[in-house]
Amino acid sequence: MTRGMTPGVTIGEFSRLCHLSAKTLRYYHDIELLVPAGIDEDTGYRRYAPGQVDDAHLIRRLRDLDMPIAEIRGVLAEPDPSARHEALARHLDRMEAELTRTRDVVLSLRRLLGPEPELPVRHRLSAGSPVLRVSARITRTEVTDWCGRVFPELYATLAALGTDPAGPAGATYSAEFFEGEIGEVVAFVPVSADVVRAGDDRFATLPPARYAVAVHNGPFADCDITYGRLGLHVASHDTALPDPIVEVYLVGPDETTDPAEFRTEICWPISA
């Protein structure tokens, strides 16, 4: 750091330029996040170059977004503007994902704390139906990203085959998926029987089954509330089977970007 009669503005002037207090600027100097252009040799006062104002503005906004100091330091040290923008974009993507998660949890809590609406439950006997499907053993924390990848792939496969889905997409969740750390999930899209190709293991048939069915309205984040109420109904009125639970996405992310508009059928397997 250069000593002597350093040109630039005082810490007080710089504070007014960037809306950061002198105390904060001294702290940023101490941790070498925003180092003054120089220190006056006679007075020991910090002086800042006008060109540092943009960095100060950027730091203030990134701290408002809770970006860690180490990451901010890396952004400021990046000489390539495009690389700097990419680093900022990655952080904003993380923030948007966190905001979405927080919003979903808040909505879920409001629903949980509010009056409990009546949950209509009906019974359905489903015949075996052909589907195009993808299966994997995944954890609960992976399921959202996994579904976000595989459903577009399933639709793209059908488009390549020159056919449309024969009904809304869905997924089956094994008992192991709920009870353990990992379990089998099968994502599927119904197809007409004439689309199925013999020997092509991408196609399968959902077995016939009897279900207790309820519709969950709203984000996937609070689907567990509907699961709980439907499960209690089954425990009181039916005999549950350990077969996979089926979710049918009547209105899902492929139709709306507003989670409040999602409609998901939850189909609980029961004995005949």
Side-chain angles (χ1 to χ4, degrees), residues 27-266:
Y27 170 65
Y28 287 163
H29 179 194
D30 291 341
I31 63 174
E32 298 184 347
L33 181 63
L34 184 62
V35 177
I39 295 179
D40 190 284
E41 186 177 64
D42 298 321
T43 64
Y45 291 161
R46 297 168 174 85
R47 299 190 70 86
Y48 292 82
Q52 293 182 283
V53 171
D54 286 344
D55 281 349
H57 287 165
L58 180 59
I59 290 170
R60 184 166 65 84
R61 283 161 174 76
L62 294 180
R63 288 302 294 149
D64 286 345
L65 291 176
D66 293 326
M67 178 180 275
I69 293 292
E71 289 189 33
I72 297 177
R73 187 179 287 112
V75 168
L76 295 175
E78 179 56 63
D80 180 6
S82 63
R84 175 184 284 200
H85 291 163
E86 288 176 6
L88 293 174
R90 286 194 298 271
H91 183 74
L92 291 176
D93 287 343
R94 290 196 298 271
M95 289 292 299
E96 287 179 348
E98 181 63 21
L99 286 172
T100 298
R101 188 192 70 81
T102 300
R103 181 195 63 185
D104 289 346
V105 172
V106 168
L107 289 174
S108 179
L109 282 172
R110 290 192 186 282
R111 184 181 180 196
L112 187 63
L113 296 174
E116 186 174 293
E118 181 182 355
L119 180 70
V121 177
R122 65 188 188 280
H123 292 109
R124 176 193 299 162
L125 181 60
S126 295
S129 57
V131 296
L132 177 71
R133 55 102 168 118
V134 176
S135 64
R137 284 178 55 79
I138 54 178
T139 65
R140 289 191 221 178
T141 57
E142 297 171 322
V143 69
T144 299
D145 289 341
W146 183 79
C147 287
R149 293 194 309 272
V150 300
F151 279 114
E153 293 172 1
L154 289 171
Y155 288 126
T157 298
L158 286 183
L161 293 173
T163 189
D164 294 322
T172 69
Y173 297 87
S174 65
E176 182 187 18
F177 175 80
F178 296 103
E179 296 168 5
E181 297 294 328
I182 189 171
E184 183 178 52
V185 178
V186 180
F188 65 84
V189 178
V191 297
S192 58
D194 59 350
V195 174
V196 178
R197 300 181 177 183
D200 190 336
D201 61 6
R202 295 176 300 176
F203 296 95
T205 299
L206 291 182
R210 183 174 174 82
Y211 298 104
V213 181
V215 175
H216 172 73
N217 296 298
F220 297 135
D222 60 359
C223 233
D224 59 325
I225 298 174
T226 305
Y227 262 79
R229 296 175 62 201
L230 175 59
L232 288 173
H233 177 94
V234 169
S236 300
H237 299 89
D238 299 293
T239 301
L241 297 177
D243 299 335
I245 288 177
V246 181
E247 291 184 0
V248 179
Y249 307 117
L250 303 176
V251 179
D254 57 323
E255 296 184 55
T256 177
T257 57
D258 183 359
E261 297 180 0
F262 292 171
R263 294 182 65 242
T264 305
E265 268 190 348
I266 301 172

